[in-house]
Amino acid sequence: MLGAGGAGLARGLRAVRQAWLRGSRGRSVVLARAAGPPGTGDSRRWAGLGPGGRGLSLSAAAVVEAAPRPVQPYLRLMRLDKPIGRNQPLLVTIVFPVPSTALAQRTWLLYLPCTWSIGLAAEPGCFPDWYMLSLFGTGAVLMRGAGCTINDMWDRDYDKKVTRTANRPIAAGDISTFRSFVFLGGQLTLALGVLLCLNYYSVALGAASLLLVITYPLMKRVTYWPQLALGLAFNWGALLGWSAVKGSCDPSVCLPLYFSGIMWTLIYDTIYAHQDKKDDALIGLKSTALWFREDTKQWLSGFSVAMVGALSLVGVSSEQTAPYYAALAAVGAHLARQIYTLDIHRPEDCWDKFTSNRTVGLIIFLGIVLGNLWKQKKTDETKKKIDYVIEN
């Protein structure tokens, strides 16, 4: 009797579980659909059940879909539905935590040079200024959104000709050019509010970057080096972070740091550009991917050497310690492997290599923080030696 009851209970639990799974899968389709790497056209669910049906995540696309309908085109214009270029689940996991990422790749790539600079400007033995890190994080989100708006305004006619970009709000006619201009004004006003929290030197320095932000999208029409223009704009935070903490720039630290960031951008954005090179060639746009062609790996290797070399110079100028140089060694190994295994003819592989550059930036930041904390240890050891000599 107990056996029969237990079997019935087991059957009942299995039925409930199967019904719940069916419902969860149904809900996951509504909550999130993630497009694959640009140019591939495949789709998959990134939200929904984790491995073994253990969790349910809420995607960034679902949040945009849940917003009031008149607001949705503006959120898509900021790429909030595609925080790293394709839909990813937000950091919201229901039932059980499962590994997921919702980190905006482009926002990270804009933000990380700021964190390097802020970390280097910290006093020996101290962590970076958390207020500055959060302030620059907010600014990175706002300026990334503004950059997307500017890009789509300039490229609305080109976007209509490419399947991957034809559904962007301006190209699709969901937002008029005038309304996008007004929206851009709102984004830049909020970004200005963040900038005004800094010292006067940094306000002037930050305002000077606006010309780069506005003109970058035009560069792909006139030069095969638009990635260089992007590097000049995206790594401005390497100058701004230091000045926000110190009150002005130290050329011996800030200039090689800025240069290393530009080299980094040439690496990851050349890889990214290989995904769209066929469409770019058809519609008359230019990129380093089209210029380098089969010599891409040689160019990327040169950029990598220049990047690591410049970061080494930064370490010498800022009196960095062993953890920093260990991080540079790890970055060099990561870049070498990334370039060696890169297949420029496979968009999926280019996408994977592009996204791995967030790891590069985080390793550098970690090396800066640990290297700065190590300075205090060295200072303490030096003081003990001096005290010992004095006593004897």
Side-chain angles (χ1 to χ4, degrees), residues 17-273:
R17 179 177 179 274
Q18 289 170 0
W20 184 85
L21 289 177
R22 284 195 298 271
S24 295
R25 291 190 182 101
R27 288 192 299 274
S28 69
V29 176
V30 176
L31 287 173
R33 285 190 177 277
T40 63
D42 68 326
S43 62
R44 65 197 67 163
R45 288 193 300 268
W46 280 74
L49 293 173
R54 293 183 299 137
L56 181 65
S57 298
L58 184 61
S59 74
V63 173
V64 172
E65 289 296 326
R69 189 167 296 277
V71 177
Q72 291 180 18
Y74 296 96
L75 298 180
R76 292 199 302 272
L77 184 59
M78 294 176 67
R79 308 288 196 274
L80 291 185
D81 60 327
K82 299 178 180 179
I84 65 172
R86 60 181 176 180
N87 297 340
Q88 293 281 10
L90 293 173
L91 293 178
V92 177
T93 306
I94 305 170
V95 184
F96 295 103
V98 292
S100 65
T101 60
L103 305 177
Q105 183 70 20
R106 288 284 184 181
T107 305
W108 273 110
L109 297 176
L110 177 62
Y111 176 54
L112 282 166
C114 306
T115 69
W116 303 347
S117 192
I118 294 169
L120 288 166
E123 293 297 321
C126 297
F127 284 99
D129 188 322
W130 296 109
Y131 172 71
M132 285 297 174
L133 289 175
S134 61
L135 202 63
F136 274 75
T138 304
V141 172
L142 291 170
M143 287 307 297
R144 191 246 180 180
C148 290
T149 302
I150 293 170
N151 184 78
D152 288 7
M153 289 172 67
W154 283 121
D155 289 353
R156 59 188 181 276
D157 293 331
Y158 287 99
D159 286 344
K160 295 175 183 177
K161 301 174 184 179
V162 179
T163 302
R164 184 173 65 83
T165 59
N167 62 347
R168 288 180 176 174
I170 299 177
D174 297 331
I175 302 176
S176 67
T177 303
F178 175 75
R179 288 185 177 181
S180 62
F181 186 78
V182 173
F183 181 60
L184 174 63
Q187 291 174 287
L188 293 178
T189 300
L190 291 174
L192 177 61
V194 173
L195 187 62
L196 291 175
C197 295
L198 308 179
N199 55 61
Y200 291 124
Y201 182 97
S202 300
V203 170
L205 186 63
S209 69
L210 189 59
L211 181 62
L212 291 171
V213 175
I214 293 173
T215 57
Y216 154 68
L218 293 174
M219 294 298 104
K220 67 189 81 170
R221 295 166 169 78
V222 298
T223 177
Y224 281 101
W225 290 83
Q227 281 68 31
L228 177 59
L230 179 66
L232 293 171
F234 250 52
N235 294 283
W236 201 257
L239 308 176
L240 195 57
W242 181 282
S243 71
V245 177
K246 297 287 192 179
S248 62
C249 285
D250 181 348
S252 67
V253 177
C254 295
L255 291 183
L257 186 66
Y258 184 48
F259 176 79
S260 68
I262 294 171
M263 294 298 102
W264 185 39
T265 302
L266 283 167
I267 295 168
Y268 66 67
D269 213 60
T270 296
I271 294 172
Y272 184 90

